[in-house]
Amino acid sequence: MSFSSLGLSEQLVRATTDQGYETPSPIQAQAIPAVLSGKDVMAAAQTGTGKTAGFTLPLLQRLAEQPRTGKGPRALILAPTRELAAQVHDSVALYSKYMPTRSAVVFGGVKINPQMMKLRKGLDVLVATPGRLLDLYQQNAVRFNEVEILVLDEADRMLDMGFIRDIRKILALLPAKRQNLLFSATFSNDIRKLTQGLLNDPVQVEVAARNTTAEKVKQSVYPVDQSQKTALLSKLVRDNSWEQVLVFTRTKHGANRLTKKLEQDGITAAAIHGNKSQGARTRALAEFKQGDIRVLVATDIAARGLDIKQLPQVVNFELPNVPEDYVHRIGRTGRAGESGHALSLVSADEGKLLAGIEKLIKKQLPRKEVEGFEPKNNLPLKPKAKADPSKARGRGGNGGGNGRPAGKPRSFGARPGGRSSGRSQGSGQQGRRQSA
Ligand code: AMP
């Protein structure tokens, strides 16, 4: 199958060829014709499946069918985080490079005036985070009367982050006649409620989640006392000569503390989370990608949607409160068809969280003790509750890497089916996710 056989224009096909894409990914194969047909679309897809091109390419084509008559925007793409909004906009700019389409991105945490200026010039596609978009609307910097297509990207994360009221306010301001596209990694009750009022007879698109407990990811647990975690992490980074490792902490405060300690230990590190200014986040990410810093410490929400590929190591400095986040985290490694390693430093007080994860992924993770770091308080060896497959929400056994070695064409190999299904929205038992 080719991009042109999906009905995309020569300009758009050329842009994908420039990117080295050979064939459409499974989500693209399904979503592109559906969006081109003008119907509403509800897609279950995570980052890494090629979803961005899945909605951007056909959206650009639909807009190109008629020229803009006013100032726009004609397509509105809402995304939960500044990073994701910026990345989606990069894709829009990239795929529309052979077209006259104009686009812009707006998000909070940076000056609003330059964004107002951009909007004044007129544009076709606007990518935005919900809060800043409403600010701009309230200041009369943007109007919605020409919106023909609305995209909610990572809708589940937007709800997790408390954007539901902003989203509803925005929906109320849009013209009733429009095409709606909703992308979400999971379909909780809240998402379903949102889709009911939003989507009209949608085409449903579903593909395998990438790296759902990817086979290519070697996973291990390092039992260690809480007080020894930083020292153990330093040792692992040094002994294994890791040059690029993404480390997850549960809280922003924990991310800052760990970064400081690593730096004191002579290991270059930076933290990325919601309290950091946009400039600091962008800088940290760029330095990490360039290899100027070895360790990027991130909270779950800040890390989500980051376009960092082919990481050889991911470390859970602390286990996430929500077991499904473990799957998201380890999905950061083992890409590009290469094997990756996901390590979790687990202290005895995290035994319950570990049991929840092992139950979800339906396997026990091997424990590896490091000499000199043996914990005083032992971890339970086996998950307490025996895994009950009928109740487990995740599905394993899906290991489709899709990055590419430099210079090689990029292709999404066929993946075995099965996507991770609904994630609990902050389970009562294990506490709500921390905001990033
Ligand atoms: P996404 O899921 O949208 O975050 O995309 C994940 C990555 O896949 C991005 O780096 C895209 O550039 C890349 N990508 C998107 N479509 C294709 C394709 N058809 N073939 C190869 N790579 C792709």
Coordinates of all heavy atoms in Angstrom, one line a residue, residues 171 294 351:
L171 N -15.6 23.8 22.6 CA -16.6 23.1 21.8 C -17.8 24.0 21.6 O -18.4 24.1 20.5 CB -17.0 21.8 22.4 CG -16.0 20.7 22.4 CD1 -16.5 19.4 23.0 CD2 -15.4 20.4 21.0
R294 N 23.4 13.5 29.9 CA 23.3 12.1 29.9 C 21.9 11.6 30.4 O 21.4 10.6 30.0 CB 24.4 11.4 30.7 CG 25.8 11.6 30.1 CD 26.8 11.1 31.1 NE 27.0 9.7 31.0 CZ 28.0 9.1 31.7 NH1 28.8 9.7 32.5 NH2 28.2 7.8 31.6
G351 N 6.2 -2.4 46.9 CA 5.9 -3.8 46.6 C 4.5 -3.9 46.0 O 4.3 -4.6 45.0

